Amino acid sequence: MGNLTILLNGTPERFRPTAEQVLPSFIKLFEDYVSQITPLMERDHAMRRQNADGSLSEQIGALEEESKSVKDRLLKGHITNNIYVSPFDTVPSTFAYFHTGGTLHFTMKTAKKITIHISFTDEDGNDTYHRFILRPAEGRWLIDWFGYSCEGEEGPFKKYDL
């Protein structure tokens, strides 16, 4: 499954079949996300650098709408209403580690909650952590919460938009 190291050591044996069911589609969702959003964000950032006079504002707005549409299409059916979908991402993508690598910890201790904790090194060399909480809804597992934390930060994960 891509460039991620997958660890299930926090998951009892009885829930491991759920991991085998959930992880391939979860990983593919974000691999597709990175592949489709990255070119849009590269164009967006290039236009913003060239927009000192404001002449590209309309084109930037149209690109934001296109990005939001792509994200909505990709994420629809994979997230709950608890998640806000922003039209923005960064370059490289917030989720570039689905292509470049990291460590994914799948933890399931009850039939009502999956925690996916991913540790990776960002483009500046900082240790960064993402946490997804999935809950069963409509006969499938949906992302119900997403947050991040960075090396050296204390306290809980901060909720963030997708």
Side-chain angles (χ1 to χ4, degrees):
M1 280 188 252
N3 296 311
L4 292 172
T5 300
I6 299 184
L7 301 174
L8 302 175
N9 48 345
T11 301
E13 197 63 42
R14 71 181 183 273
F15 292 126
R16 293 195 180 198
T18 302
E20 292 172 11
Q21 172 198 356
V22 170
L23 284 175
S25 61
F26 177 83
I27 292 169
K28 180 161 180 12
L29 170 67
F30 284 98
E31 287 175 341
D32 291 349
Y33 174 98
V34 171
S35 295
Q36 293 180 42
I37 288 297
T38 297
L40 296 173
M41 291 299 97
E42 287 172 345
R43 286 183 21 224
D44 177 81
H45 290 290
M47 277 193 232
R48 288 178 190 278
R49 283 192 301 274
Q50 300 168 8
N51 195 33
D53 63 357
S55 63
L56 299 175
S57 296
E58 191 173 309
Q59 290 148 308
I60 290 171
L63 194 53
E64 287 175 8
E65 287 302 313
E66 182 181 354
S67 173
K68 178 84 164 88
S69 175
V70 168
K71 287 175 80 172
D72 285 342
R73 179 180 47 77
L74 285 170
L75 297 172
K76 184 179 180 164
H78 297 280
I79 62 174
T80 68
N81 290 334
N82 196 31
I83 300 285
Y84 174 75
V85 178
S86 163
F88 303 103
D89 199 340
T90 60
V91 174
S93 170
T94 303
F95 304 106
Y97 55 82
F98 279 93
H99 285 223
T100 60
T103 302
L104 183 152
H105 299 267
F106 180 99
T107 305
M108 183 176 184
K109 295 183 179 179
T110 73
K112 296 187 186 244
K113 178 181 172 185
I114 294 171
T115 301
I116 295 176
H117 178 93
I118 302 172
S119 56
F120 61 99
T121 304
D122 69 15
E123 68 277 4
D124 296 324
N126 300 311
D127 291 334
T128 306
Y129 312 95
H130 282 174
R131 181 171 292 163
F132 298 86
I133 295 177
L134 286 68
R135 300 203 187 270
E138 304 162 19
R140 54 192 307 191
W141 287 91
L142 301 179
I143 301 168
D144 188 53
W145 191 89
F146 168 68
Y148 75 95
S149 180
C150 295
E151 176 182 22
E153 287 186 358
E154 292 186 25
F157 277 72
K158 294 160 195 68
K159 184 176 181 177
Y160 203 68
D161 306 329
L162 288 180

